[in-house]
Amino acid sequence: MTALPLVFDAPRRGKPPRHLADLTREEARAAVAELGQPAFRADQLSRHFYRGTTDPAQMTDVPAAARETLTAALLPGLLTPVRHQAADGGRTRKTLWRLHDGALVESVLMRYPDRATVCISSQAGCGMACPFCATGQGGLTRNLSAAEIIGQAVAAARAMADGDLPGGPGRLSNVVFMGMGEPLANYARVRTTLQALYSPAPHGLGLSQRSITVSTVGVVPGIRKLTEEGLSVTLAVSLHAPDDELRDTLVPINTRWKVAEVVAAADAYAERTGRRYSIEYALIRDVNDQPERADMLGRLLARRRAHVNLIPLNPTPGSPWDASPLPAQRVFVARLRAAGVPTTVRDTRGQDIDGACGQLAAADLAEGVPSVAVVPPEPLEPPMELGAEGDE
Ligand code: SAH
Protein backbone atom coordinates (compact mmCIF):
# COMPACT_ATOMS: atom_id res chain seq x y z
CA MET A 1 0.00 0.00 0.00
CA THR A 2 1.44 3.39 -0.94
CA ALA A 3 1.09 6.22 1.52
CA LEU A 4 -0.89 9.16 0.18
CA PRO A 5 -0.09 12.77 1.05
CA LEU A 6 -2.39 14.70 3.39
CA VAL A 7 -4.42 17.22 1.41
CA PHE A 8 -6.09 20.13 3.20
CA ASP A 9 -6.72 22.51 0.33
CA ALA A 10 -9.36 21.20 -2.00
CA PRO A 11 -8.68 21.50 -5.71
CA ARG A 12 -10.59 24.44 -7.17
CA ARG A 13 -13.19 23.38 -9.64
CA GLY A 14 -16.15 25.15 -11.22
CA LYS A 15 -18.54 26.30 -8.51
CA PRO A 16 -21.98 24.72 -8.41
CA PRO A 17 -24.76 27.06 -9.62
CA ARG A 18 -26.04 29.54 -7.05
CA HIS A 19 -28.52 27.98 -4.63
CA LEU A 20 -30.76 29.45 -1.96
CA ALA A 21 -29.27 27.16 0.68
CA ASP A 22 -25.84 28.76 0.20
CA LEU A 23 -27.20 32.24 0.84
CA THR A 24 -27.97 34.08 4.04
CA ARG A 25 -31.59 35.11 4.51
CA GLU A 26 -30.75 38.65 3.51
CA GLU A 27 -28.91 37.51 0.40
CA ALA A 28 -31.83 35.29 -0.57
CA ARG A 29 -34.30 38.13 -0.16
CA ALA A 30 -32.11 40.41 -2.25
CA ALA A 31 -31.78 37.77 -4.96
CA VAL A 32 -35.56 37.38 -5.13
CA ALA A 33 -36.04 41.14 -5.27
CA GLU A 34 -33.54 41.34 -8.13
CA LEU A 35 -35.81 39.02 -10.06
CA GLY A 36 -38.64 41.50 -9.59
CA GLN A 37 -40.44 39.48 -6.91
CA PRO A 38 -41.41 40.47 -3.38
CA ALA A 39 -38.71 39.50 -0.91
CA PHE A 40 -41.01 37.25 1.12
CA ARG A 41 -40.92 34.75 -1.73
CA ALA A 42 -37.46 33.80 -0.48
CA ASP A 43 -39.14 32.24 2.56
CA GLN A 44 -41.64 30.45 0.34
CA LEU A 45 -38.85 28.99 -1.76
CA SER A 46 -36.98 28.02 1.36
CA ARG A 47 -40.00 26.16 2.70
CA HIS A 48 -40.34 24.24 -0.55
CA PHE A 49 -36.66 23.38 -0.62
CA TYR A 50 -36.56 22.00 2.93
CA ARG A 51 -39.73 20.01 2.27
CA GLY A 52 -37.98 18.44 -0.67
CA THR A 53 -40.31 19.88 -3.29
CA THR A 54 -38.45 20.18 -6.55
CA ASP A 55 -41.31 20.50 -9.02
CA PRO A 56 -42.29 24.14 -9.63
CA ALA A 57 -45.84 23.02 -10.45
CA GLN A 58 -46.28 22.09 -6.78
CA MET A 59 -45.29 25.53 -5.51
CA THR A 60 -48.85 26.72 -5.57
CA ASP A 61 -48.26 29.63 -3.20
CA VAL A 62 -45.98 31.22 -5.82
CA PRO A 63 -47.62 32.80 -8.90
CA ALA A 64 -47.41 30.36 -11.80
CA ALA A 65 -45.61 32.89 -13.99
CA ALA A 66 -42.79 33.30 -11.46
CA ARG A 67 -42.23 29.68 -10.44
CA GLU A 68 -39.91 28.63 -13.24
CA THR A 69 -37.79 31.77 -13.01
CA LEU A 70 -37.41 31.60 -9.25
CA THR A 71 -36.71 27.88 -9.25
CA ALA A 72 -34.14 28.13 -12.02
CA ALA A 73 -32.44 31.07 -10.30
CA LEU A 74 -32.43 29.83 -6.71
CA LEU A 75 -33.29 26.15 -6.51
CA PRO A 76 -31.25 24.50 -9.27
CA GLY A 77 -31.12 20.70 -8.94
CA LEU A 78 -27.61 20.07 -7.62
CA LEU A 79 -27.84 16.37 -6.83
CA THR A 80 -28.91 13.92 -9.48
CA PRO A 81 -29.57 10.44 -8.12
CA VAL A 82 -27.60 7.92 -10.16
CA ARG A 83 -28.87 4.93 -8.22
CA HIS A 84 -30.18 3.63 -4.94
CA GLN A 85 -29.02 0.39 -3.35
CA ALA A 86 -30.97 -1.26 -0.57
CA ALA A 87 -29.82 -3.57 2.21
CA ASP A 88 -31.03 -4.85 5.58
CA GLY A 89 -34.47 -5.65 4.22
CA GLY A 90 -34.78 -2.18 2.69
CA ARG A 91 -34.15 -0.41 6.00
CA THR A 92 -30.78 0.81 4.73
CA ARG A 93 -30.57 2.68 1.47
CA LYS A 94 -27.45 4.07 -0.15
CA THR A 95 -27.76 6.72 -2.83
CA LEU A 96 -25.10 7.63 -5.36
CA TRP A 97 -25.38 11.26 -6.43
CA ARG A 98 -23.89 12.99 -9.44
CA LEU A 99 -23.02 16.66 -8.98
CA HIS A 100 -23.08 19.40 -11.60
CA ASP A 101 -19.48 18.77 -12.66
CA GLY A 102 -19.74 15.00 -12.72
CA ALA A 103 -18.23 14.49 -9.26
CA LEU A 104 -19.88 11.64 -7.34
CA VAL A 105 -20.82 11.34 -3.68
CA GLU A 106 -22.88 8.96 -1.60
CA SER A 107 -25.25 9.19 1.33
CA VAL A 108 -26.79 6.38 3.37
CA LEU A 109 -30.21 6.45 5.03
CA MET A 110 -30.77 3.98 7.89
CA ARG A 111 -34.13 3.37 9.46
CA TYR A 112 -34.41 1.98 12.99
CA PRO A 113 -37.54 1.31 15.00
CA ASP A 114 -37.21 4.56 16.93
CA ARG A 115 -35.28 6.85 14.58
CA ALA A 116 -33.90 7.40 11.12
CA THR A 117 -30.33 8.51 10.48
CA VAL A 118 -28.74 9.78 7.32
CA CYS A 119 -24.99 9.60 6.86
CA ILE A 120 -23.93 12.42 4.56
CA SER A 121 -20.81 13.41 2.64
CA SER A 122 -19.10 16.78 3.08
CA GLN A 123 -16.49 16.41 0.35
CA ALA A 124 -16.22 14.49 -2.91
CA GLY A 125 -13.44 12.13 -1.90
CA CYS A 126 -11.20 12.92 1.07
CA GLY A 127 -7.68 14.26 1.54
CA MET A 128 -6.98 12.67 4.91
CA ALA A 129 -5.43 9.51 3.42
CA CYS A 130 -6.34 7.01 6.16
CA PRO A 131 -5.01 3.72 4.73
CA PHE A 132 -7.95 1.58 5.91
CA CYS A 133 -10.64 3.85 4.43
CA ALA A 134 -11.84 3.46 0.85
CA THR A 135 -12.69 7.14 0.53
CA GLY A 136 -9.31 8.18 1.90
CA GLN A 137 -7.53 5.98 -0.59
CA GLY A 138 -9.30 7.67 -3.49
CA GLY A 139 -8.00 11.16 -2.66
CA LEU A 140 -9.84 14.48 -2.62
CA THR A 141 -11.86 15.65 -5.62
CA ARG A 142 -13.36 18.81 -4.12
CA ASN A 143 -15.27 20.38 -1.27
CA LEU A 144 -19.04 20.23 -1.49
CA SER A 145 -21.03 23.44 -1.31
CA ALA A 146 -23.41 23.84 1.62
CA ALA A 147 -26.38 23.32 -0.68
CA GLU A 148 -24.87 20.06 -1.93
CA ILE A 149 -24.41 18.79 1.63
CA ILE A 150 -27.81 20.02 2.83
CA GLY A 151 -29.47 18.53 -0.25
CA GLN A 152 -28.48 15.03 0.89
CA ALA A 153 -30.25 15.53 4.22
CA VAL A 154 -33.29 17.09 2.56
CA ALA A 155 -33.57 14.14 0.19
CA ALA A 156 -33.41 11.77 3.16
CA ALA A 157 -36.07 13.72 5.04
CA ARG A 158 -38.27 13.59 1.98
CA ALA A 159 -37.69 9.85 1.50
CA MET A 160 -38.76 9.30 5.12
CA ALA A 161 -41.82 11.50 4.75
CA ASP A 162 -42.81 9.64 1.60
CA GLY A 163 -42.36 6.25 3.25
CA ASP A 164 -39.73 5.17 0.72
CA LEU A 165 -38.22 2.80 3.28
CA PRO A 166 -40.38 -0.01 4.69
CA GLY A 167 -42.41 0.98 7.74
CA GLY A 168 -44.56 3.72 6.26
CA PRO A 169 -44.03 7.46 6.39
CA GLY A 170 -41.63 8.58 9.09
CA ARG A 171 -39.35 11.41 10.11
CA LEU A 172 -35.63 11.93 9.65
CA SER A 173 -34.28 12.36 13.18
CA ASN A 174 -30.48 12.17 12.96
CA VAL A 175 -27.69 13.31 10.68
CA VAL A 176 -24.11 12.08 10.89
CA PHE A 177 -21.18 13.53 8.93
CA MET A 178 -19.69 10.09 8.45
CA GLY A 179 -19.94 9.77 4.70
CA MET A 180 -17.22 10.86 2.33
CA GLY A 181 -14.86 13.61 3.35
CA GLU A 182 -13.49 15.38 6.40
CA PRO A 183 -16.14 17.84 7.57
CA LEU A 184 -13.71 20.07 9.46
CA ALA A 185 -11.57 20.44 6.32
CA ASN A 186 -14.62 22.08 4.70
CA TYR A 187 -15.49 24.11 7.77
CA ALA A 188 -17.47 27.08 6.45
CA ARG A 189 -19.81 24.95 4.34
CA VAL A 190 -20.31 22.47 7.14
CA ARG A 191 -21.10 25.33 9.53
CA THR A 192 -23.77 26.60 7.10
CA THR A 193 -25.11 23.07 6.82
CA LEU A 194 -25.38 22.69 10.60
CA GLN A 195 -27.46 25.83 10.79
CA ALA A 196 -29.78 24.53 8.07
CA LEU A 197 -30.15 21.19 9.82
CA TYR A 198 -31.23 22.63 13.16
CA SER A 199 -33.10 25.74 12.05
CA PRO A 200 -36.87 25.38 12.15
CA ALA A 201 -39.02 25.70 9.02
CA PRO A 202 -38.99 27.49 6.70
CA HIS A 203 -35.21 27.92 7.04
CA GLY A 204 -34.16 24.39 7.81
CA LEU A 205 -35.02 20.84 8.75
CA GLY A 206 -35.66 21.57 12.43
CA LEU A 207 -33.52 18.72 13.82
CA SER A 208 -32.25 18.87 17.37
CA GLN A 209 -28.58 19.80 17.56
CA ARG A 210 -27.84 16.80 19.71
CA SER A 211 -29.02 14.46 17.02
CA ILE A 212 -26.44 15.84 14.59
CA THR A 213 -22.95 14.31 14.77
CA VAL A 214 -19.83 15.85 13.28
CA SER A 215 -17.16 13.19 12.92
CA THR A 216 -13.56 14.32 12.48
CA VAL A 217 -10.25 12.66 11.87
CA GLY A 218 -8.80 15.11 14.40
CA VAL A 219 -8.42 18.50 12.74
CA VAL A 220 -7.64 20.27 16.01
CA PRO A 221 -8.10 23.89 14.83
CA GLY A 222 -11.49 22.84 13.43
CA ILE A 223 -12.54 21.29 16.74
CA ARG A 224 -11.52 24.50 18.52
CA LYS A 225 -13.50 26.60 16.08
CA LEU A 226 -16.55 24.41 16.52
CA THR A 227 -16.16 24.75 20.29
CA GLU A 228 -16.29 28.52 19.99
CA GLU A 229 -19.59 28.31 18.10
CA GLY A 230 -21.28 27.28 21.33
CA LEU A 231 -23.47 24.68 19.65
CA SER A 232 -24.61 21.39 21.15
CA VAL A 233 -24.03 19.12 18.18
CA THR A 234 -22.35 15.81 18.98
CA LEU A 235 -18.64 15.56 18.29
CA ALA A 236 -17.06 12.28 17.23
CA VAL A 237 -13.30 11.87 16.95
CA SER A 238 -11.80 9.09 14.86
CA LEU A 239 -8.98 7.97 17.10
CA HIS A 240 -8.29 4.35 16.06
CA ALA A 241 -5.19 4.12 18.26
CA PRO A 242 -4.36 5.37 21.76
CA ASP A 243 -0.66 5.85 21.05
CA ASP A 244 1.06 8.21 18.62
CA GLU A 245 3.33 5.55 17.21
CA LEU A 246 0.44 3.50 15.82
CA ARG A 247 -1.88 6.42 15.14
CA ASP A 248 0.76 8.07 12.94
CA THR A 249 0.35 5.12 10.58
CA LEU A 250 -3.45 4.70 10.76
CA VAL A 251 -4.54 8.33 10.78
CA PRO A 252 -1.86 10.34 8.96
CA ILE A 253 -3.11 13.67 10.34
CA ASN A 254 -1.66 12.47 13.64
CA THR A 255 1.71 13.57 12.34
CA ARG A 256 0.36 17.15 12.76
CA TRP A 257 -1.88 16.89 15.79
CA LYS A 258 -1.00 14.20 18.30
CA VAL A 259 -3.34 12.04 20.37
CA ALA A 260 -2.93 14.27 23.43
CA GLU A 261 -3.81 17.41 21.46
CA VAL A 262 -6.87 15.86 19.84
CA VAL A 263 -8.18 14.54 23.13
CA ALA A 264 -7.54 17.89 24.81
CA ALA A 265 -9.50 19.66 22.07
CA ALA A 266 -12.37 17.19 22.45
CA ASP A 267 -12.28 17.70 26.24
CA ALA A 268 -12.61 21.44 25.74
CA TYR A 269 -15.59 20.79 23.46
CA ALA A 270 -17.20 18.62 26.13
CA GLU A 271 -16.45 21.24 28.75
CA ARG A 272 -18.14 23.95 26.71
CA THR A 273 -21.16 21.92 25.64
CA GLY A 274 -21.57 19.73 28.72
CA ARG A 275 -21.87 16.79 26.35
CA ARG A 276 -19.92 13.65 25.97
CA TYR A 277 -17.97 13.11 22.76
CA SER A 278 -17.62 9.85 20.86
CA ILE A 279 -14.32 8.20 20.14
CA GLU A 280 -14.46 6.15 16.95
CA TYR A 281 -12.19 3.14 16.93
CA ALA A 282 -12.13 0.73 13.98
CA LEU A 283 -11.05 -2.65 15.30
CA ILE A 284 -8.42 -4.03 12.93
CA ARG A 285 -7.22 -7.58 13.46
CA ASP A 286 -3.76 -7.72 15.00
CA VAL A 287 -3.18 -4.04 14.26
CA ASN A 288 -4.94 -2.08 17.03
CA ASP A 289 -7.09 -4.71 18.77
CA GLN A 290 -4.63 -6.11 21.33
CA PRO A 291 -5.79 -6.28 24.97
CA GLU A 292 -2.87 -4.01 25.93
CA ARG A 293 -4.16 -1.38 23.53
CA ALA A 294 -7.59 -1.62 25.10
CA ASP A 295 -5.94 -0.97 28.45
CA MET A 296 -3.96 1.93 27.02
CA LEU A 297 -7.14 3.41 25.53
CA GLY A 298 -8.90 2.84 28.84
CA ARG A 299 -6.19 4.75 30.70
CA LEU A 300 -6.36 7.56 28.16
CA LEU A 301 -10.11 7.98 28.39
CA ALA A 302 -10.99 7.07 31.97
CA ARG A 303 -12.46 10.09 33.76
CA ARG A 304 -12.95 11.93 30.49
CA ARG A 305 -16.36 12.75 29.04
CA ALA A 306 -15.87 10.22 26.29
CA HIS A 307 -17.79 7.27 24.97
CA VAL A 308 -16.09 4.71 22.76
CA ASN A 309 -17.78 3.49 19.64
CA LEU A 310 -15.98 0.45 18.28
CA ILE A 311 -16.41 -0.30 14.58
CA PRO A 312 -15.30 -3.75 13.42
CA LEU A 313 -13.24 -2.83 10.36
CA ASN A 314 -15.12 -2.96 7.10
CA PRO A 315 -12.50 -4.42 4.80
CA THR A 316 -11.86 -2.34 1.70
CA PRO A 317 -10.55 -3.57 -1.65
CA GLY A 318 -6.78 -3.86 -1.85
CA SER A 319 -6.27 -3.54 1.88
CA PRO A 320 -4.42 -6.31 3.71
CA TRP A 321 -6.45 -5.64 6.86
CA ASP A 322 -9.42 -7.41 8.31
CA ALA A 323 -11.92 -6.94 11.11
CA SER A 324 -11.03 -8.20 14.56
CA PRO A 325 -12.56 -11.58 15.29
CA LEU A 326 -15.49 -11.63 17.71
CA PRO A 327 -13.56 -12.95 20.72
CA ALA A 328 -10.98 -10.16 20.35
CA GLN A 329 -13.80 -7.61 20.07
CA ARG A 330 -15.36 -8.92 23.25
CA VAL A 331 -12.11 -8.75 25.20
CA PHE A 332 -11.54 -5.20 23.94
CA VAL A 333 -15.00 -4.11 25.05
CA ALA A 334 -14.66 -5.79 28.43
CA ARG A 335 -11.30 -4.16 29.16
CA LEU A 336 -12.52 -0.71 28.23
CA ARG A 337 -15.59 -1.09 30.39
CA ALA A 338 -13.48 -2.37 33.25
CA ALA A 339 -11.52 0.87 32.95
CA GLY A 340 -14.79 2.73 33.40
CA VAL A 341 -15.15 3.86 29.78
CA PRO A 342 -18.66 3.59 28.29
CA THR A 343 -18.26 1.45 25.20
CA THR A 344 -20.51 0.14 22.45
CA VAL A 345 -19.92 -1.71 19.20
CA ARG A 346 -21.36 -0.15 16.11
CA ASP A 347 -23.99 -1.81 14.09
CA THR A 348 -22.72 -2.71 10.62
CA ARG A 349 -25.63 -1.44 8.56
CA GLY A 350 -25.17 -1.49 4.83
CA GLN A 351 -21.96 -3.49 4.79
CA ASP A 352 -23.16 -5.65 1.93
CA ILE A 353 -23.77 -2.65 -0.31
CA ASP A 354 -20.45 -1.04 0.61
CA GLY A 355 -22.46 1.49 2.52
CA ALA A 356 -20.87 1.02 5.92
CA CYS A 357 -18.27 3.31 7.48
CA GLY A 358 -15.19 3.73 5.35
CA GLN A 359 -16.60 1.91 2.36
CA LEU A 360 -17.91 4.87 0.41
CA ALA A 361 -15.90 5.15 -2.77
CA ALA A 362 -18.25 6.61 -5.31
CA ALA A 363 -15.53 7.06 -7.90
CA ASP A 364 -15.11 3.31 -8.19
CA LEU A 365 -18.83 2.67 -8.15
CA ALA A 366 -19.21 4.88 -11.16
CA GLU A 367 -17.55 2.15 -13.17
CA GLY A 368 -20.71 0.20 -12.51
CA VAL A 369 -19.35 -2.52 -10.24
CA PRO A 370 -22.45 -4.43 -9.18
CA SER A 371 -22.82 -5.18 -5.52
CA VAL A 372 -23.85 -8.60 -4.32
CA ALA A 373 -26.43 -8.75 -1.59
CA VAL A 374 -25.51 -11.03 1.27
CA VAL A 375 -27.16 -11.65 4.60
CA PRO A 376 -26.06 -8.82 6.87
CA PRO A 377 -23.98 -9.91 9.84
CA GLU A 378 -25.57 -9.89 13.26
CA PRO A 379 -24.40 -6.96 15.32
CA LEU A 380 -22.46 -7.89 18.43
CA GLU A 381 -24.57 -5.50 20.47
CA PRO A 382 -28.05 -4.19 19.84
CA PRO A 383 -27.73 -1.41 17.27
CA MET A 384 -26.83 1.83 18.91
CA GLU A 385 -27.56 5.28 17.80
CA LEU A 386 -24.67 6.51 15.71
CA GLY A 387 -22.81 9.13 17.64
CA ALA A 388 -25.37 9.15 20.40
CA GLU A 389 -24.64 9.65 24.07
CA GLY A 390 -23.86 6.01 24.23
CA ASP A 391 -25.39 4.83 27.48
CA GLU A 392 -26.98 1.52 26.73
N1 SAH B 1 -13.48 12.16 8.06
C1 SAH B 1 -14.40 11.86 9.14
C2 SAH B 1 -15.61 11.09 8.66
C3 SAH B 1 -15.18 9.78 8.08
S1 SAH B 1 -16.15 8.34 8.04
C4 SAH B 1 -13.68 11.07 10.19
O1 SAH B 1 -12.59 10.58 9.92
O2 SAH B 1 -14.19 10.95 11.29
C5 SAH B 1 -16.70 7.94 9.62
C6 SAH B 1 -15.93 6.88 10.38
O3 SAH B 1 -15.66 5.67 9.65
C7 SAH B 1 -14.58 7.38 10.83
O4 SAH B 1 -14.44 7.10 12.19
C8 SAH B 1 -13.63 6.55 10.01
O5 SAH B 1 -12.37 6.45 10.60
C9 SAH B 1 -14.36 5.23 9.96
N2 SAH B 1 -13.85 4.32 8.94
C10 SAH B 1 -13.18 4.63 7.81
N3 SAH B 1 -12.89 3.52 7.13
C11 SAH B 1 -13.38 2.47 7.83
C12 SAH B 1 -13.39 1.07 7.62
N4 SAH B 1 -12.85 0.53 6.54
N5 SAH B 1 -14.00 0.30 8.55
C13 SAH B 1 -14.56 0.86 9.64
N6 SAH B 1 -14.59 2.17 9.88
C14 SAH B 1 -14.00 2.99 8.99
Side-chain angles (χ1 to χ4, degrees):
M1 201 177 304
T2 46
L4 291 171
L6 274 169
V7 180
F8 289 93
D9 297 320
R12 291 194 176 275
R13 314 229 317 194
K15 272 194 171 179
R18 177 179 69 169
H19 193 286
L20 184 85
D22 289 311
L23 306 180
T24 63
R25 257 182 102 176
E26 282 319 305
E27 288 167 345
R29 289 167 67 85
V32 166
E34 257 169 49
L35 293 166
Q37 290 291 319
F40 69 82
R41 299 227 183 282
D43 285 359
Q44 293 177 317
L45 293 179
S46 190
R47 190 178 297 276
H48 289 303
F49 171 67
Y50 287 106
R51 279 188 184 156
T53 306
T54 48
D55 179 8
Q58 288 175 13
M59 302 179 186
T60 50
D61 55 348
V62 180
R67 283 178 209 160
E68 300 283 352
T69 319
L70 287 172
T71 309
L74 288 161
L75 299 179
L78 298 179
L79 302 168
T80 308
V82 178
R83 71 152 177 260
H84 299 295
Q85 284 173 280
D88 309 313
R91 292 169 299 126
T92 300
R93 186 171 85 161
K94 181 172 81 167
T95 305
L96 173 67
W97 304 102
R98 182 180 294 111
L99 310 179
H100 80 101
D101 58 351
L104 297 164
V105 295
E106 292 178 315
S107 58
V108 185
L109 176 58
M110 293 157 280
R111 185 169 198 170
Y112 299 88
D114 58 335
R115 66 187 191 278
T117 301
V118 67
C119 174
I120 59 176
S121 296
S122 56
Q123 299 182 310
C126 186
M128 298 296 107
C130 301
F132 55 88
C133 174
T135 314
Q137 287 306 291
L140 179 61
T141 303
R142 70 166 167 90
N143 280 327
L144 299 192
S145 68
E148 287 170 329
I149 308 172
I150 297 165
Q152 299 166 57
V154 169
R158 181 66 198 235
M160 285 305 298
D162 287 348
D164 289 356
L165 268 54
R171 201 180 66 82
L172 178 74
S173 54
N174 297 62
V175 174
V176 297
F177 286 81
M178 295 188 185
M180 304 172 79
E182 167 50 43
L184 298 184
N186 187 14
Y187 191 92
R189 279 67 165 266
V190 166
R191 178 67 189 88
T192 302
T193 301
L194 292 175
Q195 169 136 357
L197 296 178
Y198 63 70
S199 294
H203 298 293
L205 287 176
L207 301 177
S208 99
Q209 290 194 26
R210 293 164 164 248
S211 60
I212 302 167
T213 300
V214 174
S215 178
T216 177
V217 76
V219 181
V220 167
I223 299 175
R224 292 196 186 124
K225 221 162 153 184
L226 192 64
T227 306
E228 284 159 21
E229 310 273 3
L231 301 176
S232 54
V233 300
T234 302
L235 175 70
V237 175
S238 298
L239 199 66
H240 305 311
D243 52 311
D244 286 321
E245 195 184 352
L246 179 59
R247 193 167 191 264
D248 280 348
T249 68
L250 293 180
V251 186
I253 203 178
N254 199 65
T255 55
R256 292 234 188 155
W257 295 288
K258 297 293 176 194
V259 170
E261 289 173 90
V262 179
V263 171
D267 282 345
Y269 187 82
E271 183 70 28
R272 173 76 191 258
T273 58
R275 308 214 48 227
R276 236 156 357 129
Y277 53 92
S278 287
I279 291 289
E280 315 287 301
Y281 198 105
L283 281 172
I284 313 174
R285 182 202 290 255
D286 299 333
V287 173
N288 65 353
D289 66 347
Q290 306 83 352
E292 311 80 69
R293 278 225 157 66
D295 294 343
M296 215 189 283
L297 186 62
R299 284 194 298 275
L300 178 70
L301 299 178
R303 291 175 295 283
R304 296 198 131 97
R305 281 187 162 133
H307 160 261
V308 174
N309 202 200
L310 298 170
I311 318 167
L313 183 81
N314 294 302
T316 58
S319 154
W321 291 325
D322 206 353
S324 301
L326 266 181
Q329 292 182 29
R330 292 204 176 102
V331 170
F332 208 91
V333 171
R335 295 225 178 186
L336 276 175
R337 287 186 180 155
V341 179
T343 305
T344 43
V345 177
R346 173 152 326 148
D347 166 25
T348 51
R349 278 285 183 106
Q351 207 179 35
D352 50 321
I353 51 167
D354 288 341
C357 273
Q359 293 187 312
L360 302 186
D364 294 338
L365 289 171
E367 322 284 307
V369 184
S371 69
V372 183
V374 294
V375 179
E378 282 298 314
L380 184 68
E381 304 272 351
M384 73 158 290
E385 183 159 336
L386 289 173
E389 279 279 342
D391 287 328
E392 302 134 7

